[in-house]
Amino acid sequence: MSNEIRLTKKDRLAVAWRHQFLQGSWNYERMQNGGWCYSIIPAIKKLYKSDEDRKAALKRHLEFYNTHPYVSSPVMGVTLALEEEKANGMPVDDVAIQGVKIGMMGPLAGVGDPVFWFTLRPILGALGATLALSGNIVGPLLFFFAWNIIRIGFMWYTQEFGYKVGTTIAKDLSGGLLGKITQGASILGMFIIGSLVQRWVSISFTPIVSTVTQADGAFIDWSKIPEGAAGIKSALEQFASLGATGLNPEKVTTLQQNLDQLVPGLAALLLTLLCSWLLKKKVSPIIIIVALFIIGILARWAQIM
């Protein structure tokens, strides 16, 4: 139709440029929402002509949002396509747009860190550092230009890919494709988050459950360790065979060790589920963070953790 409003390449480039500053107004309550809203402003101005529609669009894009800043681009591309279809009268509501954002940001966040932070940047950094150590000015320049060329190119082309795919998704709303994608992305995101709980959440209960005097030979008798290098060698050999429990005559068992024998990481999982439940109850993330700080300090003071 001739009266349809479409985002031009110039409009999408303006969004992509702003999207590089996604973390510019990061906050503890809604995280990257300010940077996301700032990024999409050029598209909102192009798609909606009335102040009421523009205000409504900005309001729905100030909701919670958080993912890896580079892999956020395909999410932006899909969102641009959905906003475009909404502006042209397609039955795309606010819940659908926010659902796609939330459904995609979780799985993509789990991909961004290992690809960019743990693989690409260390490789380029090591290559640049190797050249720099030899006195070659190309080293830091190589890292700077290679990193930014890859980063900017990836963000632009994945945004374009999301924009093209997003139009298809919007046109297939009646077939339920949008709901299936959102549901599948949510399941994958929860799976990734669950696998990271044990790694990123650490709780250790320090109360001592039992203290047992070990038999001779089950621990290192430090009085019989010879001096010098021979003593160090002997201690290391005994430690390798006895383990950490062989350092002292008494074997101390803590509450955390008993819990780990039953279900490793149970406390971390329960804490994560509790925080998720509180967030569903509309408890502010800031209140949860402050409460965790207070509980941690009191538990440390009481020698519980």
Side-chain angles (χ1 to χ4, degrees):
M1 295 175 63
S2 58
N3 60 344
E4 285 187 344
I5 305 173
R6 294 298 174 190
L7 294 173
T8 63
K9 186 175 182 179
K10 181 180 179 181
D11 299 323
R12 302 194 300 273
L13 278 170
V15 172
W17 169 252
R18 286 177 170 234
H19 202 197
Q20 296 184 77
F21 311 105
L22 178 66
Q23 308 225 89
S25 61
W26 196 95
N27 61 89
Y28 279 105
E29 185 154 2
R30 299 189 181 183
M31 300 198 174
Q32 296 170 336
N33 70 320
W36 174 276
C37 188
Y38 169 78
S39 303
I40 205 171
I41 284 177
I44 297 301
K45 287 184 176 180
K46 175 68 175 291
L47 294 173
Y48 301 102
K49 301 306 179 183
S50 68
D51 290 341
E52 291 75 15
D53 290 339
R54 289 178 175 178
K55 290 177 182 178
L58 293 178
K59 185 177 180 180
R60 64 174 163 265
H61 288 296
L62 282 172
E63 295 295 330
F64 174 86
Y65 182 80
N66 187 52
T67 190
H68 189 282
Y70 300 165
V71 298
S72 176
S73 294
V75 187
M76 177 61 77
V78 173
T79 305
L80 290 177
L82 294 175
E83 286 287 355
E84 186 179 76
E85 297 299 339
K86 180 179 177 64
N88 285 297
M90 286 283 289
V92 182
D93 58 15
D94 295 358
V95 176
I97 295 174
Q98 187 65 11
V100 168
K101 288 168 56 180
I102 294 175
M104 293 180 68
M105 71 183 187
L108 290 175
V111 173
D113 283 343
V115 171
F116 285 97
W117 295 158
F118 305 147
T119 302
L120 182 60
R121 189 164 65 172
I123 291 174
L124 293 177
L127 180 60
T130 301
L131 294 174
L133 287 173
S134 64
N136 194 334
I137 188 62
V138 175
L141 293 177
L142 173 67
F143 174 78
F144 177 81
F145 285 106
W147 174 257
N148 283 288
I149 289 172
I150 294 172
R151 176 182 64 85
I152 294 173
F154 177 84
M155 293 181 70
W156 166 246
Y157 285 108
T158 54
Q159 178 182 295
E160 286 293 279
F161 173 77
Y163 174 73
K164 294 174 183 178
V165 174
T167 304
T168 304
I169 293 173
K171 290 180 179 179
D172 197 55
L173 278 171
S174 59
L177 178 61
L178 183 61
K180 293 177 182 178
I181 291 177
T182 303
Q183 182 182 17
S186 300
I187 293 172
L188 178 59
M190 292 303 296
F191 175 80
I192 294 172
I193 292 172
S195 65
L196 294 176
V197 167
Q198 174 67 10
R199 178 179 178 182
W200 296 111
V201 182
S202 177
I203 300 177
S204 180
F205 294 100
T206 57
I208 297 174
V209 176
S210 64
T211 302
V212 179
T213 301
Q214 302 190 83
D216 293 339
F219 62 93
I220 301 174
D221 190 345
W222 297 100
S223 62
K224 297 180 180 179
I225 296 293
E227 297 182 356
I232 297 174
K233 179 181 178 182
S234 176
L236 291 175
E237 290 175 346
Q238 293 184 59
F239 179 78
S241 61
L242 298 174
T245 59
L247 291 174
N248 298 298
E250 296 179 339
K251 181 181 178 181
V252 178
T253 303
T254 64
L255 175 60
Q256 186 61 48
Q257 290 173 328
N258 283 344
L259 291 175
D260 288 340
Q261 290 178 353
L262 295 173
V263 182
L266 176 62
L269 176 62
L270 293 177
L271 178 62
T272 304
L273 293 175
L274 174 62
C275 292
S276 299
W277 180 77
L278 291 174
L279 289 172
K280 288 184 67 175
K281 294 295 182 180
K282 306 300 181 181
V283 178
S284 171
I286 296 178
I287 295 176
I288 297 175
I289 292 171
V290 172
L292 290 176
F293 269 112
I294 294 174
I295 293 172
I297 293 171
L298 293 177
R300 181 66 176 175
W301 175 77
Q303 297 184 347
I304 298 175
M305 294 183 180

